[in-house]
Amino acid sequence: MKKFPVLEIFGPTIQGEGMVIGQKTMFVRTAGCDYSCSWCDSAFTWDGSAKDDIRQLTAEQIWNELSELGGDLFSHVTISGGNPALLVHLSELVDLLHEKEIKVAIETQGSRLQPWFSKIDDLTISPKPPSSGMSTDFDKLKEIIDYLDIENRLGHASLKVVVFDEADLEFAKKVHITYPELPFYIQVGNDLVQETSDDKLIGHLLSRYEWLIERSAKEKELNSARILPQLHTLVWGNKRGV
Amino acid sequence: MKKFPVLEIFGPTIQGEGMVIGQKTMFVRTAGCDYSCSWCDSAFTWDGSAKDDIRQLTAEQIWNELSELGGDLFSHVTISGGNPALLVHLSELVDLLHEKEIKVAIETQGSRLQPWFSKIDDLTISPKPPSSGMSTDFDKLKEIIDYLDIENRLGHASLKVVVFDEADLEFAKKVHITYPELPFYIQVGNDLVQETSDDKLIGHLLSRYEWLIERSAKEKELNSARILPQLHTLVWGNKRGV
Ligand code: SF4
Ligand code: SF4
């Protein structure tokens, strides 16, 4: 069996963002990312700062740990990163979870296509806007969405763009207009990932969210969008593993 | 054309709760409710306090006002109450909105069935838990869900239960177990509908939300549930018309 670089396994908790916001879920966080977004809230997955915490686990070992932690108190697992789409053999884990009647969600920025995308129950593709400092490969994005279309999986996918500023909002519009057939989520960016005062963080993020709602309200191209905050950050601040 | 008792028309803003949480939408709030929930956050729709603000409007007049307010900046309208399901002829408004290529969401407690339920794009049925002081007519609920099933509309519906305490959580489980085929949302109750300090309100509601997540995490029967706060209350407090 293949091994996967795992940094965190935790839950049951809720999915705090995106297409299944609020869903009760367990989390498996894999290490490694091909991006280095300026505002990455999981930089420890790729910047070396947590490299001693990375464990190489098989699908079965991951399942055992999920079971130990969650018992029979979960039916949904979110695989997050880093970028889990770097892991060619991740279908081993996805298949095992499906055998156990567990639904699987994943988020990726859309820089890699893996055939196992067609097995994911809730697939979030989250191209990174200009403020990240990254540049989106729109050909690759098209390849991924064409693949999902051919595999008849568009109903299990969504697009999500994190927005910090006006340029990001323009980028979000472009992504949405290009793929109107996919549910589209706009998420308010957390520009205080180092803030340790929860009160300060919450007040700031709610006012940024209000800004994002007001701006989106003025954009005809975003009429069918859904505009969301990150709920876990409102509840637990910048803490990890909740 | 029939007339409908309208209390508020506002937007574009976001839907703050439930199955299309975050969705950009306009709101039409109708007057009148057959319930009187102890914690109702829209008591002005039925307790007489706003009765001088009720306007009797035709579907066309409502559409004109929506257009004036929202221009081309919306493609989704939420009809809320009170209980809009009291309005036998509301299909006139639903049909008109559909003609204009507008999607329609509605929320009702499930005390009345209207044939036009089968036309609603996002139908939330929200039976009221014990803390409301109301008692749910489970036969009527079954009648509604059977009707949606026959009309092949379960994909457009969801169940939502507001939870304040342990007894409410038991009620939520019962509703979900009875209709596992419907997406199920648990919403944290706002027990401070009179609070005018937003800071106090936000801190309190977030800690109640954390409680609800922790409690739901421990309930096997809620594994597939989605647990959500009311986003509009976090952003705008107890203000009306946002
Ligand atoms: S793609 Fe995601 S995990 Fe990778 S650097 Fe960007 S925000 Fe961080
Ligand atoms: S059913 Fe809704 S509108 Fe009617 S009293 Fe209860 S909470 Fe208020």
Side-chain angles (χ1 to χ4, degrees):
Chain A
M1 271 182 120
K2 301 289 177 203
K3 298 197 169 191
F4 307 103
V6 172
L7 257 172
E8 296 181 312
I9 296 178
F10 62 94
T13 181
I14 54 140
Q15 170 55 260
E17 54 187 65
M19 67 192 288
V20 287
I21 190 167
Q23 172 69 52
K24 182 169 164 183
T25 192
M26 302 287 292
F27 278 90
V28 176
R29 191 187 293 282
T30 63
C33 191
D34 45 330
Y35 274 24
S36 54
C37 300
S38 62
W39 36 251
C40 179
D41 60 3
S42 338
F44 64 96
T45 63
W46 53 264
D47 68 4
S49 61
K51 72 174 188 307
D52 297 340
D53 303 336
I54 299 172
R55 294 178 302 150
Q56 298 290 337
L57 301 179
T58 64
E60 206 163 316
Q61 285 171 320
I62 295 171
W63 170 250
N64 288 341
E65 228 168 280
L66 285 166
S67 298
E68 250 165 64
L69 258 173
D72 59 355
L73 291 171
F74 68 100
S75 62
H76 189 275
V77 168
T78 304
I79 306 172
S80 75
N83 182 12
L86 297 177
L87 304 171
V88 181
H89 303 283
L90 201 62
S91 54
E92 285 189 10
L93 176 58
V94 178
D95 290 344
L96 181 60
L97 290 169
H98 281 159
E99 266 170 44
K100 309 289 184 184
E101 301 194 335
I102 304 292
K103 292 210 167 146
V104 182
I106 218 161
E107 177 171 329
T108 177
Q109 69 267 47
S111 60
R112 300 286 172 94
L113 167 60
Q114 297 292 353
W116 49 257
F117 281 8
S118 62
K119 300 179 176 185
I120 302 299
D121 300 287
D122 310 307
L123 175 68
T124 297
I125 307 164
S126 185
K128 300 305 168 192
S131 65
S132 68
M134 302 293 112
S135 105
T136 293
D137 178 346
F138 277 95
D139 292 338
K140 182 57 72 177
L141 186 62
K142 182 172 168 11
E143 202 187 308
I144 294 173
I145 294 173
D146 285 350
Y147 174 73
L148 294 173
D149 194 7
I150 288 166
E151 298 281 316
N152 207 12
R153 299 295 291 182
L154 290 182
H156 290 267
S158 72
L159 284 161
K160 186 180 79 175
V161 172
V162 178
V163 168
F164 286 79
D165 56 29
E166 289 292 335
D168 290 357
L169 202 64
E170 275 308 305
F171 176 88
K173 276 158 63 173
K174 177 180 166 179
V175 169
H176 182 39
I177 291 165
T178 311
Y179 300 105
E181 67 274 29
L182 278 174
F184 187 67
Y185 293 82
I186 308 180
Q187 178 173 304
V188 65
N190 177 0
D191 51 357
L192 291 180
V193 288
Q194 305 294 339
E195 180 61 60
T196 51
S197 155
D198 285 357
D199 279 356
K200 242 193 228 167
L201 184 65
I202 289 164
H204 178 72
L205 291 180
L206 287 175
S207 77
R208 292 304 294 160
Y209 181 44
E210 188 175 4
W211 167 80
L212 188 58
I213 294 168
E214 279 166 8
R215 279 300 290 109
S216 305
K218 294 199 182 94
E219 301 293 329
K220 186 173 69 154
E221 294 84 356
L222 298 177
N223 281 355
S224 59
R226 287 171 67 176
I227 302 127
L228 289 172
Q230 291 180 297
L231 294 178
H232 52 284
T233 315
L234 295 176
V235 175
W236 295 293
N238 287 319
K239 232 180 299 172
R240 260 170 65 181
V242 277
Chain B
M1 274 180 115
K2 302 290 176 200
K3 297 197 170 192
F4 307 102
V6 172
L7 256 171
E8 295 181 310
I9 296 178
F10 62 94
T13 180
I14 54 140
Q15 169 55 258
E17 55 187 65
M19 67 191 289
V20 287
I21 189 168
Q23 172 70 51
K24 183 170 163 183
T25 192
M26 301 288 290
F27 278 90
V28 176
R29 191 186 295 281
T30 62
C33 192
D34 45 331
Y35 274 25
S36 55
C37 300
S38 63
W39 35 252
C40 178
D41 62 1
S42 335
F44 64 96
T45 63
W46 52 264
D47 67 4
S49 61
K51 73 174 188 309
D52 296 339
D53 303 336
I54 299 172
R55 294 178 300 150
Q56 298 290 336
L57 300 179
T58 64
E60 206 163 315
Q61 284 171 322
I62 294 172
W63 170 250
N64 288 342
E65 230 169 280
L66 285 166
S67 298
E68 250 167 64
L69 257 173
D72 59 356
L73 291 172
F74 67 100
S75 62
H76 189 276
V77 168
T78 303
I79 305 172
S80 74
N83 182 13
L86 297 178
L87 305 170
V88 181
H89 303 284
L90 201 62
S91 54
E92 284 188 12
L93 176 58
V94 179
D95 289 344
L96 181 61
L97 290 169
H98 281 160
E99 264 170 45
K100 307 290 184 185
E101 301 194 335
I102 304 292
K103 292 209 167 146
V104 182
I106 218 160
E107 178 172 329
T108 177
Q109 68 267 47
S111 60
R112 301 285 172 94
L113 166 60
Q114 298 291 353
W116 48 259
F117 281 7
S118 62
K119 301 178 177 187
I120 302 298
D121 299 286
D122 310 308
L123 174 69
T124 297
I125 307 163
S126 185
K128 300 305 168 193
S131 66
S132 68
M134 302 293 112
S135 103
T136 293
D137 179 346
F138 278 94
D139 292 337
K140 182 57 74 178
L141 187 62
K142 181 172 169 7
E143 200 188 311
I144 294 173
I145 294 173
D146 285 349
Y147 173 72
L148 293 173
D149 194 7
I150 287 166
E151 297 282 315
N152 206 13
R153 298 295 291 181
L154 291 182
H156 290 268
S158 73
L159 283 161
K160 186 180 80 175
V161 172
V162 177
V163 168
F164 286 80
D165 56 28
E166 289 292 335
D168 290 357
L169 202 65
E170 275 309 305
F171 176 87
K173 276 158 62 176
K174 176 180 167 179
V175 170
H176 182 38
I177 290 166
T178 310
Y179 300 104
E181 67 274 29
L182 279 174
F184 187 66
Y185 294 81
I186 307 180
Q187 178 173 304
V188 66
N190 177 1
D191 50 357
L192 292 179
V193 289
Q194 304 294 340
E195 180 60 62
T196 51
S197 154
D198 285 356
D199 280 356
K200 243 195 228 166
L201 183 66
I202 290 163
H204 178 73
L205 291 179
L206 287 175
S207 77
R208 292 304 295 159
Y209 181 44
E210 188 175 2
W211 168 80
L212 188 58
I213 294 169
E214 280 166 7
R215 280 299 290 110
S216 306
K218 294 198 181 93
E219 302 292 328
K220 187 173 70 155
E221 294 85 355
L222 298 176
N223 282 355
S224 60
R226 287 171 67 174
I227 302 127
L228 289 172
Q230 291 180 298
L231 294 178
H232 52 284
T233 315
L234 294 176
V235 175
W236 294 293
N238 286 320
K239 231 179 298 171
R240 262 172 63 181
V242 277

